Amino acid sequence: LADRRNGHGVEMWPDGKTYIGQYRAGIKDGRGHFSWPDGRVHTGEFADDWIQGVGTHAWPDGRKYTGAWIRNMMHGAGHFSWADGKSYDGEFSSDHMDGKGTFKWPDGARYTGEWQHGVMHGRGRHTDALGETKAGEWQEGTLVRWLHEGEIGEDAAQDDSEPQVRPSRAPDAAPGAIGLVGATDGVGVAGGVAQAQLSDAERRKHTDRL
């Protein structure tokens, strides 16, 4: 590969990674397709050797994310889906569901509201599989209290019709931080929500240019 390649090109690495797409002055910049030997593929925009812009990333286990990227991380608005039918539509920050978004389960249940660092955090509405919707307040993935419907955006009194100890319906396989460049995704469990955790070494790889 010429150091100052411009336009369309192909780059292959000894470990099996492949990039096919646009270059500018020898770096990946523009539309492209990147594949890893473990079966992951990414198609979308690249900038300055980073996955950056809008793109789709697919995992061999059926997970798929389509949306905004910054420096190899899901960041901005996007859609994440799982092979078992779960999905999330909303905001991401540094590879985590973070901001406003809707998580849906295969049985028809869903949560729409605030997220922080991959878990429900703040106020939102949960609809169960039978269609009953209740407003509530969550902290780090755990339900704190139910709110009176219609007061979700205000200081609300607690709904005494439901016990405070009722468990929340937290997503059991939230994307969390997902390493794209590291060899593996380390998985831990915190607060009943499975989320990927990156070691320091994996994080360094994750934030390196491709």
Side-chain angles (χ1 to χ4, degrees):
L1 178 69
D3 290 340
R4 308 300 292 178
R5 179 185 293 273
N6 286 283
H8 186 80
V10 176
E11 191 170 1
M12 293 179 287
W13 287 261
D15 62 3
K17 293 192 294 286
T18 301
Y19 172 77
I20 303 171
Q22 298 296 309
Y23 285 84
R24 177 184 56 81
I27 60 175
K28 290 175 282 294
D29 197 288
R31 294 283 302 178
H33 177 89
F34 200 104
S35 62
W36 287 261
D38 62 6
R40 288 173 294 150
V41 294
H42 183 93
T43 302
E45 298 173 335
F46 293 76
D48 197 24
D49 270 352
W50 299 99
I51 293 174
Q52 185 151 310
V54 176
T56 295
H57 195 95
W59 287 260
D61 62 6
R63 288 175 294 162
K64 181 182 288 187
Y65 170 80
T66 298
W69 295 80
I70 292 181
R71 292 197 169 197
N72 295 356
M73 294 185 291
M74 298 177 288
H75 194 94
H79 172 84
F80 200 108
S81 62
W82 287 260
D84 63 3
K86 293 189 293 289
S87 67
Y88 171 83
D89 282 282
E91 299 173 325
F92 290 78
S93 178
S94 300
D95 270 354
H96 290 86
M97 298 179 290
D98 199 294
K100 301 290 181 66
T102 296
F103 195 102
K104 296 180 181 178
W105 287 266
D107 63 4
R110 68 181 182 275
Y111 167 83
T112 298
E114 298 174 322
W115 295 77
Q116 186 176 64
H117 205 64
V119 297
M120 297 177 289
H121 187 85
R123 295 185 172 188
R125 287 186 172 88
H126 178 265
T127 301
D128 64 23
L130 298 177
E132 180 185 3
T133 298
K134 300 198 73 171
E137 185 173 344
W138 282 258
Q139 185 171 0
E140 296 181 351
T142 299
L143 177 66
V144 176
R145 58 173 179 162
W146 292 114
L147 306 174
H148 289 300
E149 189 61 40
E151 296 184 299
I152 190 170
E154 306 169 7
D155 291 332
Q158 182 176 317
D159 183 352
D160 295 327
S161 67
E162 294 288 344
Q164 296 183 50
V165 295
R166 176 172 173 176
S168 66
R169 175 64 181 277
D172 56 5
I178 301 172
L180 304 179
V181 181
T184 59
D185 297 336
V187 177
V189 177
V193 179
Q195 30 184 357
Q197 304 291 337
L198 297 180
S199 67
D200 290 342
E202 288 171 327
R203 173 59 64 187
R204 285 193 294 272
K205 291 181 181 178
H206 181 51
T207 55
D208 286 346
R209 288 180 171 82
L210 296 174

mmCIF file of all heavy atoms in Angstrom, residues 31-74:
data_model
loop_
_atom_site.group_PDB
_atom_site.id
_atom_site.type_symbol
_atom_site.label_atom_id
_atom_site.label_comp_id
_atom_site.label_asym_id
_atom_site.label_seq_id
_atom_site.Cartn_x
_atom_site.Cartn_y
_atom_site.Cartn_z
ATOM 1 N N ARG A 31 -15.945 6.239 2.670
ATOM 2 C CA ARG A 31 -16.719 5.007 2.815
ATOM 3 C C ARG A 31 -15.792 3.789 2.738
ATOM 4 O O ARG A 31 -14.837 3.761 1.949
ATOM 5 C CB ARG A 31 -17.762 4.898 1.706
ATOM 6 C CG ARG A 31 -18.849 5.954 1.768
ATOM 7 C CD ARG A 31 -19.868 5.656 2.833
ATOM 8 N NE ARG A 31 -20.517 4.360 2.658
ATOM 9 C CZ ARG A 31 -21.419 3.880 3.513
ATOM 10 N NH1 ARG A 31 -21.759 4.583 4.588
ATOM 11 N NH2 ARG A 31 -21.983 2.699 3.292
ATOM 12 N N GLY A 32 -16.093 2.780 3.576
ATOM 13 C CA GLY A 32 -15.273 1.590 3.541
ATOM 14 C C GLY A 32 -15.919 0.412 4.233
ATOM 15 O O GLY A 32 -16.985 0.528 4.856
ATOM 16 N N HIS A 33 -15.253 -0.730 4.107
ATOM 17 C CA HIS A 33 -15.708 -1.987 4.713
ATOM 18 C C HIS A 33 -14.521 -2.610 5.418
ATOM 19 O O HIS A 33 -13.484 -2.875 4.800
ATOM 20 C CB HIS A 33 -16.248 -2.930 3.635
ATOM 21 C CG HIS A 33 -16.669 -4.267 4.149
ATOM 22 N ND1 HIS A 33 -17.947 -4.516 4.595
ATOM 23 C CD2 HIS A 33 -15.982 -5.434 4.285
ATOM 24 C CE1 HIS A 33 -18.030 -5.780 4.986
ATOM 25 N NE2 HIS A 33 -16.857 -6.364 4.805
ATOM 26 N N PHE A 34 -14.655 -2.852 6.738
ATOM 27 C CA PHE A 34 -13.572 -3.423 7.536
ATOM 28 C C PHE A 34 -14.057 -4.741 8.114
ATOM 29 O O PHE A 34 -15.156 -4.819 8.664
ATOM 30 C CB PHE A 34 -13.179 -2.471 8.674
ATOM 31 C CG PHE A 34 -11.815 -2.717 9.247
ATOM 32 C CD1 PHE A 34 -10.758 -1.880 8.942
ATOM 33 C CD2 PHE A 34 -11.583 -3.785 10.100
ATOM 34 C CE1 PHE A 34 -9.488 -2.100 9.472
ATOM 35 C CE2 PHE A 34 -10.337 -4.026 10.636
ATOM 36 C CZ PHE A 34 -9.277 -3.179 10.319
ATOM 37 N N SER A 35 -13.248 -5.794 7.994
ATOM 38 C CA SER A 35 -13.619 -7.093 8.545
ATOM 39 C C SER A 35 -12.511 -7.625 9.439
ATOM 40 O O SER A 35 -11.331 -7.353 9.216
ATOM 41 C CB SER A 35 -13.924 -8.094 7.427
ATOM 42 O OG SER A 35 -12.783 -8.304 6.617
ATOM 43 N N TRP A 36 -12.919 -8.373 10.484
ATOM 44 C CA TRP A 36 -12.003 -8.977 11.434
ATOM 45 C C TRP A 36 -12.028 -10.487 11.280
ATOM 46 O O TRP A 36 -13.045 -11.062 10.849
ATOM 47 C CB TRP A 36 -12.397 -8.602 12.859
ATOM 48 C CG TRP A 36 -12.113 -7.202 13.262
ATOM 49 C CD1 TRP A 36 -11.049 -6.750 13.980
ATOM 50 C CD2 TRP A 36 -12.920 -6.036 13.005
ATOM 51 N NE1 TRP A 36 -11.131 -5.389 14.182
ATOM 52 C CE2 TRP A 36 -12.277 -4.927 13.590
ATOM 53 C CE3 TRP A 36 -14.126 -5.835 12.320
ATOM 54 C CZ2 TRP A 36 -12.791 -3.640 13.520
ATOM 55 C CZ3 TRP A 36 -14.641 -4.548 12.244
ATOM 56 C CH2 TRP A 36 -13.969 -3.466 12.845
ATOM 57 N N PRO A 37 -10.964 -11.175 11.668
ATOM 58 C CA PRO A 37 -10.929 -12.638 11.520
ATOM 59 C C PRO A 37 -11.941 -13.362 12.406
ATOM 60 O O PRO A 37 -12.260 -14.523 12.145
ATOM 61 C CB PRO A 37 -9.486 -12.999 11.910
ATOM 62 C CG PRO A 37 -8.980 -11.831 12.686
ATOM 63 C CD PRO A 37 -9.666 -10.634 12.131
ATOM 64 N N ASP A 38 -12.471 -12.706 13.453
ATOM 65 C CA ASP A 38 -13.456 -13.349 14.319
ATOM 66 C C ASP A 38 -14.880 -13.257 13.767
ATOM 67 O O ASP A 38 -15.829 -13.703 14.409
ATOM 68 C CB ASP A 38 -13.404 -12.776 15.733
ATOM 69 C CG ASP A 38 -13.737 -11.293 15.792
ATOM 70 O OD1 ASP A 38 -14.130 -10.714 14.756
ATOM 71 O OD2 ASP A 38 -13.602 -10.698 16.882
ATOM 72 N N GLY A 39 -15.035 -12.652 12.578
ATOM 73 C CA GLY A 39 -16.343 -12.592 11.942
ATOM 74 C C GLY A 39 -17.046 -11.256 12.019
ATOM 75 O O GLY A 39 -18.088 -11.064 11.395
ATOM 76 N N ARG A 40 -16.489 -10.302 12.761
ATOM 77 C CA ARG A 40 -17.096 -8.971 12.818
ATOM 78 C C ARG A 40 -16.858 -8.214 11.518
ATOM 79 O O ARG A 40 -15.801 -8.352 10.905
ATOM 80 C CB ARG A 40 -16.508 -8.165 13.976
ATOM 81 C CG ARG A 40 -16.940 -8.628 15.352
ATOM 82 C CD ARG A 40 -16.183 -7.879 16.433
ATOM 83 N NE ARG A 40 -14.762 -8.201 16.410
ATOM 84 C CZ ARG A 40 -13.791 -7.369 16.792
ATOM 85 N NH1 ARG A 40 -14.081 -6.153 17.175
ATOM 86 N NH2 ARG A 40 -12.538 -7.756 16.764
ATOM 87 N N VAL A 41 -17.835 -7.411 11.127
ATOM 88 C CA VAL A 41 -17.687 -6.576 9.938
ATOM 89 C C VAL A 41 -18.255 -5.193 10.220
ATOM 90 O O VAL A 41 -19.214 -5.039 10.978
ATOM 91 C CB VAL A 41 -18.409 -7.192 8.709
ATOM 92 C CG1 VAL A 41 -17.756 -8.488 8.301
ATOM 93 C CG2 VAL A 41 -19.885 -7.399 8.984
ATOM 94 N N HIS A 42 -17.643 -4.199 9.623
ATOM 95 C CA HIS A 42 -18.123 -2.824 9.751
ATOM 96 C C HIS A 42 -18.174 -2.190 8.372
ATOM 97 O O HIS A 42 -17.183 -2.213 7.632
ATOM 98 C CB HIS A 42 -17.217 -1.993 10.659
ATOM 99 C CG HIS A 42 -17.733 -0.597 10.861
ATOM 100 N ND1 HIS A 42 -18.541 -0.253 11.924
ATOM 101 C CD2 HIS A 42 -17.594 0.536 10.119
ATOM 102 C CE1 HIS A 42 -18.866 1.027 11.829
ATOM 103 N NE2 HIS A 42 -18.307 1.518 10.740
ATOM 104 N N THR A 43 -19.310 -1.601 8.043
ATOM 105 C CA THR A 43 -19.482 -0.900 6.772
ATOM 106 C C THR A 43 -19.994 0.500 7.058
ATOM 107 O O THR A 43 -21.000 0.669 7.753
ATOM 108 C CB THR A 43 -20.486 -1.632 5.858
ATOM 109 O OG1 THR A 43 -20.015 -2.962 5.626
ATOM 110 C CG2 THR A 43 -20.636 -0.902 4.529
ATOM 111 N N GLY A 44 -19.284 1.498 6.547
ATOM 112 C CA GLY A 44 -19.724 2.865 6.791
ATOM 113 C C GLY A 44 -18.633 3.872 6.546
ATOM 114 O O GLY A 44 -17.759 3.667 5.697
ATOM 115 N N GLU A 45 -18.671 4.936 7.325
ATOM 116 C CA GLU A 45 -17.752 6.054 7.142
ATOM 117 C C GLU A 45 -16.529 5.919 8.052
ATOM 118 O O GLU A 45 -16.636 5.478 9.197
ATOM 119 C CB GLU A 45 -18.478 7.368 7.424
ATOM 120 C CG GLU A 45 -19.644 7.625 6.479
ATOM 121 C CD GLU A 45 -20.457 8.844 6.869
ATOM 122 O OE1 GLU A 45 -20.445 9.216 8.060
ATOM 123 O OE2 GLU A 45 -21.093 9.434 5.980
ATOM 124 N N PHE A 46 -15.378 6.315 7.493
ATOM 125 C CA PHE A 46 -14.120 6.340 8.228
ATOM 126 C C PHE A 46 -13.525 7.744 8.100
ATOM 127 O O PHE A 46 -13.766 8.432 7.101
ATOM 128 C CB PHE A 46 -13.134 5.316 7.655
ATOM 129 C CG PHE A 46 -13.549 3.887 7.850
ATOM 130 C CD1 PHE A 46 -14.552 3.323 7.063
ATOM 131 C CD2 PHE A 46 -12.944 3.107 8.811
ATOM 132 C CE1 PHE A 46 -14.944 2.012 7.243
ATOM 133 C CE2 PHE A 46 -13.321 1.773 8.994
ATOM 134 C CZ PHE A 46 -14.328 1.234 8.216
ATOM 135 N N ALA A 47 -12.739 8.142 9.097
ATOM 136 C CA ALA A 47 -12.066 9.442 9.044
ATOM 137 C C ALA A 47 -10.757 9.361 9.814
ATOM 138 O O ALA A 47 -10.743 8.927 10.981
ATOM 139 C CB ALA A 47 -12.953 10.540 9.623
ATOM 140 N N ASP A 48 -9.666 9.727 9.169
ATOM 141 C CA ASP A 48 -8.354 9.784 9.815
ATOM 142 C C ASP A 48 -7.992 8.446 10.469
ATOM 143 O O ASP A 48 -7.460 8.407 11.579
ATOM 144 C CB ASP A 48 -8.346 10.916 10.848
ATOM 145 C CG ASP A 48 -6.938 11.315 11.258
ATOM 146 O OD1 ASP A 48 -6.001 11.087 10.465
ATOM 147 O OD2 ASP A 48 -6.766 11.851 12.368
ATOM 148 N N ASP A 49 -8.312 7.334 9.779
ATOM 149 C CA ASP A 49 -8.030 5.976 10.248
ATOM 150 C C ASP A 49 -8.913 5.523 11.411
ATOM 151 O O ASP A 49 -8.620 4.512 12.061
ATOM 152 C CB ASP A 49 -6.563 5.792 10.641
ATOM 153 C CG ASP A 49 -5.707 5.321 9.468
ATOM 154 O OD1 ASP A 49 -6.261 4.990 8.398
ATOM 155 O OD2 ASP A 49 -4.481 5.286 9.628
ATOM 156 N N TRP A 50 -9.976 6.238 11.703
ATOM 157 C CA TRP A 50 -10.935 5.840 12.725
ATOM 158 C C TRP A 50 -12.250 5.428 12.065
ATOM 159 O O TRP A 50 -12.615 5.933 11.001
ATOM 160 C CB TRP A 50 -11.258 6.992 13.676
ATOM 161 C CG TRP A 50 -10.134 7.564 14.463
ATOM 162 C CD1 TRP A 50 -9.429 8.701 14.176
ATOM 163 C CD2 TRP A 50 -9.588 7.069 15.696
ATOM 164 N NE1 TRP A 50 -8.480 8.937 15.138
ATOM 165 C CE2 TRP A 50 -8.557 7.948 16.090
ATOM 166 C CE3 TRP A 50 -9.885 5.967 16.500
ATOM 167 C CZ2 TRP A 50 -7.819 7.762 17.255
ATOM 168 C CZ3 TRP A 50 -9.147 5.784 17.664
ATOM 169 C CH2 TRP A 50 -8.125 6.674 18.027
ATOM 170 N N ILE A 51 -13.018 4.540 12.728
ATOM 171 C CA ILE A 51 -14.438 4.378 12.408
ATOM 172 C C ILE A 51 -15.111 5.633 12.937
ATOM 173 O O ILE A 51 -15.141 5.875 14.146
ATOM 174 C CB ILE A 51 -15.028 3.129 13.088
ATOM 175 C CG1 ILE A 51 -14.415 1.854 12.502
ATOM 176 C CG2 ILE A 51 -16.544 3.103 12.940
ATOM 177 C CD1 ILE A 51 -14.840 0.590 13.217
ATOM 178 N N GLN A 52 -15.608 6.441 12.031
ATOM 179 C CA GLN A 52 -16.170 7.734 12.447
ATOM 180 C C GLN A 52 -17.175 8.213 11.415
ATOM 181 O O GLN A 52 -16.906 8.212 10.219
ATOM 182 C CB GLN A 52 -15.058 8.772 12.624
ATOM 183 C CG GLN A 52 -15.538 10.102 13.173
ATOM 184 C CD GLN A 52 -14.453 10.817 13.968
ATOM 185 O OE1 GLN A 52 -13.834 10.233 14.855
ATOM 186 N NE2 GLN A 52 -14.226 12.077 13.660
ATOM 187 N N GLY A 53 -18.355 8.621 11.922
ATOM 188 C CA GLY A 53 -19.442 9.005 11.042
ATOM 189 C C GLY A 53 -20.610 8.067 11.258
ATOM 190 O O GLY A 53 -20.911 7.685 12.389
ATOM 191 N N VAL A 54 -21.265 7.665 10.188
ATOM 192 C CA VAL A 54 -22.408 6.749 10.281
ATOM 193 C C VAL A 54 -22.009 5.395 9.705
ATOM 194 O O VAL A 54 -21.388 5.332 8.646
ATOM 195 C CB VAL A 54 -23.623 7.305 9.521
ATOM 196 C CG1 VAL A 54 -24.784 6.308 9.539
ATOM 197 C CG2 VAL A 54 -24.057 8.633 10.120
ATOM 198 N N GLY A 55 -22.346 4.335 10.416
ATOM 199 C CA GLY A 55 -21.980 3.011 9.914
ATOM 200 C C GLY A 55 -22.713 1.892 10.617
ATOM 201 O O GLY A 55 -23.381 2.109 11.640
ATOM 202 N N THR A 56 -22.562 0.681 10.079
ATOM 203 C CA THR A 56 -23.185 -0.518 10.633
ATOM 204 C C THR A 56 -22.104 -1.510 11.027
ATOM 205 O O THR A 56 -21.230 -1.836 10.231
ATOM 206 C CB THR A 56 -24.130 -1.170 9.603
ATOM 207 O OG1 THR A 56 -25.210 -0.276 9.331
ATOM 208 C CG2 THR A 56 -24.692 -2.480 10.141
ATOM 209 N N HIS A 57 -22.189 -1.979 12.259
ATOM 210 C CA HIS A 57 -21.233 -2.954 12.774
ATOM 211 C C HIS A 57 -22.001 -4.208 13.140
ATOM 212 O O HIS A 57 -22.990 -4.148 13.869
ATOM 213 C CB HIS A 57 -20.525 -2.401 14.014
ATOM 214 C CG HIS A 57 -19.288 -3.157 14.394
ATOM 215 N ND1 HIS A 57 -18.037 -2.765 13.987
ATOM 216 C CD2 HIS A 57 -19.111 -4.270 15.139
ATOM 217 C CE1 HIS A 57 -17.125 -3.597 14.471
ATOM 218 N NE2 HIS A 57 -17.761 -4.523 15.173
ATOM 219 N N ALA A 58 -21.574 -5.366 12.627
ATOM 220 C CA ALA A 58 -22.260 -6.629 12.881
ATOM 221 C C ALA A 58 -21.307 -7.620 13.534
ATOM 222 O O ALA A 58 -20.139 -7.719 13.152
ATOM 223 C CB ALA A 58 -22.805 -7.205 11.582
ATOM 224 N N TRP A 59 -21.829 -8.351 14.527
ATOM 225 C CA TRP A 59 -21.079 -9.382 15.238
ATOM 226 C C TRP A 59 -21.529 -10.763 14.778
ATOM 227 O O TRP A 59 -22.683 -10.942 14.376
ATOM 228 C CB TRP A 59 -21.291 -9.241 16.744
ATOM 229 C CG TRP A 59 -20.596 -8.094 17.383
ATOM 230 C CD1 TRP A 59 -19.424 -8.131 18.081
ATOM 231 C CD2 TRP A 59 -21.030 -6.724 17.429
ATOM 232 N NE1 TRP A 59 -19.091 -6.874 18.548
ATOM 233 C CE2 TRP A 59 -20.077 -5.982 18.163
ATOM 234 C CE3 TRP A 59 -22.142 -6.050 16.921
ATOM 235 C CZ2 TRP A 59 -20.186 -4.624 18.398
ATOM 236 C CZ3 TRP A 59 -22.263 -4.683 17.144
ATOM 237 C CH2 TRP A 59 -21.286 -3.984 17.879
ATOM 238 N N PRO A 60 -20.673 -11.766 14.859
ATOM 239 C CA PRO A 60 -21.057 -13.107 14.400
ATOM 240 C C PRO A 60 -22.162 -13.747 15.239
ATOM 241 O O PRO A 60 -22.812 -14.692 14.785
ATOM 242 C CB PRO A 60 -19.749 -13.906 14.496
ATOM 243 C CG PRO A 60 -18.882 -13.145 15.436
ATOM 244 C CD PRO A 60 -19.239 -11.718 15.261
ATOM 245 N N ASP A 61 -22.407 -13.244 16.468
ATOM 246 C CA ASP A 61 -23.471 -13.808 17.301
ATOM 247 C C ASP A 61 -24.839 -13.188 17.019
ATOM 248 O O ASP A 61 -25.811 -13.480 17.708
ATOM 249 C CB ASP A 61 -23.130 -13.672 18.785
ATOM 250 C CG ASP A 61 -22.993 -12.218 19.233
ATOM 251 O OD1 ASP A 61 -23.271 -11.300 18.421
ATOM 252 O OD2 ASP A 61 -22.596 -11.990 20.390
ATOM 253 N N GLY A 62 -24.914 -12.324 15.997
ATOM 254 C CA GLY A 62 -26.191 -11.749 15.606
ATOM 255 C C GLY A 62 -26.443 -10.342 16.080
ATOM 256 O O GLY A 62 -27.430 -9.711 15.668
ATOM 257 N N ARG A 63 -25.571 -9.794 16.927
ATOM 258 C CA ARG A 63 -25.737 -8.401 17.341
ATOM 259 C C ARG A 63 -25.439 -7.474 16.166
ATOM 260 O O ARG A 63 -24.585 -7.770 15.337
ATOM 261 C CB ARG A 63 -24.794 -8.068 18.489
ATOM 262 C CG ARG A 63 -25.164 -8.688 19.825
ATOM 263 C CD ARG A 63 -24.102 -8.383 20.864
ATOM 264 N NE ARG A 63 -22.830 -9.030 20.537
ATOM 265 C CZ ARG A 63 -21.659 -8.671 21.051
ATOM 266 N NH1 ARG A 63 -21.569 -7.660 21.884
ATOM 267 N NH2 ARG A 63 -20.554 -9.321 20.711
ATOM 268 N N LYS A 64 -26.140 -6.348 16.127
ATOM 269 C CA LYS A 64 -25.889 -5.372 15.066
ATOM 270 C C LYS A 64 -26.192 -3.965 15.578
ATOM 271 O O LYS A 64 -27.170 -3.742 16.280
ATOM 272 C CB LYS A 64 -26.756 -5.663 13.843
ATOM 273 C CG LYS A 64 -26.532 -4.691 12.688
ATOM 274 C CD LYS A 64 -27.451 -4.982 11.509
ATOM 275 C CE LYS A 64 -27.034 -6.231 10.785
ATOM 276 N NZ LYS A 64 -27.818 -6.434 9.527
ATOM 277 N N TYR A 65 -25.314 -3.040 15.214
ATOM 278 C CA TYR A 65 -25.517 -1.622 15.554
ATOM 279 C C TYR A 65 -25.418 -0.793 14.284
ATOM 280 O O TYR A 65 -24.477 -0.947 13.498
ATOM 281 C CB TYR A 65 -24.469 -1.140 16.550
ATOM 282 C CG TYR A 65 -24.477 0.367 16.747
ATOM 283 C CD1 TYR A 65 -25.410 0.975 17.577
ATOM 284 C CD2 TYR A 65 -23.568 1.188 16.077
ATOM 285 C CE1 TYR A 65 -25.432 2.358 17.749
ATOM 286 C CE2 TYR A 65 -23.583 2.562 16.240
ATOM 287 C CZ TYR A 65 -24.516 3.148 17.082
ATOM 288 O OH TYR A 65 -24.537 4.512 17.245
ATOM 289 N N THR A 66 -26.395 0.087 14.092
ATOM 290 C CA THR A 66 -26.362 1.042 12.988
ATOM 291 C C THR A 66 -26.582 2.434 13.563
ATOM 292 O O THR A 66 -27.578 2.673 14.260
ATOM 293 C CB THR A 66 -27.458 0.749 11.947
ATOM 294 O OG1 THR A 66 -27.236 -0.549 11.382
ATOM 295 C CG2 THR A 66 -27.435 1.785 10.827
ATOM 296 N N GLY A 67 -25.648 3.332 13.296
ATOM 297 C CA GLY A 67 -25.789 4.675 13.826
ATOM 298 C C GLY A 67 -24.497 5.452 13.767
ATOM 299 O O GLY A 67 -23.621 5.195 12.931
ATOM 300 N N ALA A 68 -24.373 6.406 14.687
ATOM 301 C CA ALA A 68 -23.240 7.334 14.702
ATOM 302 C C ALA A 68 -22.053 6.738 15.462
ATOM 303 O O ALA A 68 -22.217 6.007 16.440
ATOM 304 C CB ALA A 68 -23.666 8.649 15.344
ATOM 305 N N TRP A 69 -20.845 7.083 14.975
ATOM 306 C CA TRP A 69 -19.592 6.623 15.574
ATOM 307 C C TRP A 69 -18.632 7.789 15.734
ATOM 308 O O TRP A 69 -18.603 8.694 14.898
ATOM 309 C CB TRP A 69 -18.912 5.577 14.683
ATOM 310 C CG TRP A 69 -19.675 4.307 14.529
ATOM 311 C CD1 TRP A 69 -20.736 4.080 13.697
ATOM 312 C CD2 TRP A 69 -19.443 3.085 15.215
ATOM 313 N NE1 TRP A 69 -21.185 2.801 13.824
ATOM 314 C CE2 TRP A 69 -20.402 2.159 14.753
ATOM 315 C CE3 TRP A 69 -18.512 2.677 16.175
ATOM 316 C CZ2 TRP A 69 -20.459 0.849 15.227
ATOM 317 C CZ3 TRP A 69 -18.569 1.364 16.632
ATOM 318 C CH2 TRP A 69 -19.532 0.473 16.165
ATOM 319 N N ILE A 70 -17.838 7.750 16.786
ATOM 320 C CA ILE A 70 -16.724 8.681 16.970
ATOM 321 C C ILE A 70 -15.535 7.881 17.489
ATOM 322 O O ILE A 70 -15.633 7.201 18.515
ATOM 323 C CB ILE A 70 -17.066 9.819 17.958
ATOM 324 C CG1 ILE A 70 -18.132 10.743 17.360
ATOM 325 C CG2 ILE A 70 -15.810 10.621 18.296
ATOM 326 C CD1 ILE A 70 -18.508 11.899 18.264
ATOM 327 N N ARG A 71 -14.436 7.911 16.757
ATOM 328 C CA ARG A 71 -13.187 7.249 17.155
ATOM 329 C C ARG A 71 -13.415 5.801 17.599
ATOM 330 O O ARG A 71 -13.048 5.409 18.709
ATOM 331 C CB ARG A 71 -12.465 8.039 18.237
ATOM 332 C CG ARG A 71 -11.936 9.370 17.725
ATOM 333 C CD ARG A 71 -10.889 9.961 18.626
ATOM 334 N NE ARG A 71 -10.243 11.088 17.978
ATOM 335 C CZ ARG A 71 -9.079 11.606 18.363
ATOM 336 N NH1 ARG A 71 -8.442 11.076 19.392
ATOM 337 N NH2 ARG A 71 -8.555 12.642 17.733
ATOM 338 N N ASN A 72 -14.030 5.011 16.717
ATOM 339 C CA ASN A 72 -14.253 3.574 16.917
ATOM 340 C C ASN A 72 -15.320 3.252 17.953
ATOM 341 O O ASN A 72 -15.502 2.074 18.294
ATOM 342 C CB ASN A 72 -12.963 2.839 17.328
ATOM 343 C CG ASN A 72 -11.912 2.858 16.258
ATOM 344 O OD1 ASN A 72 -12.131 3.344 15.157
ATOM 345 N ND2 ASN A 72 -10.736 2.333 16.576
ATOM 346 N N MET A 73 -16.027 4.243 18.485
ATOM 347 C CA MET A 73 -17.018 3.987 19.507
ATOM 348 C C MET A 73 -18.409 4.422 19.055
ATOM 349 O O MET A 73 -18.558 5.418 18.346
ATOM 350 C CB MET A 73 -16.663 4.713 20.812
ATOM 351 C CG MET A 73 -15.400 4.199 21.465
ATOM 352 S SD MET A 73 -15.074 4.969 23.070
ATOM 353 C CE MET A 73 -14.684 6.644 22.555
ATOM 354 N N MET A 74 -19.433 3.672 19.489
ATOM 355 C CA MET A 74 -20.807 4.081 19.257
ATOM 356 C C MET A 74 -21.055 5.348 20.057
ATOM 357 O O MET A 74 -20.890 5.363 21.279
ATOM 358 C CB MET A 74 -21.759 2.967 19.712
ATOM 359 C CG MET A 74 -21.578 1.664 18.958
ATOM 360 S SD MET A 74 -22.649 0.322 19.566
ATOM 361 C CE MET A 74 -21.846 -0.028 21.152
#
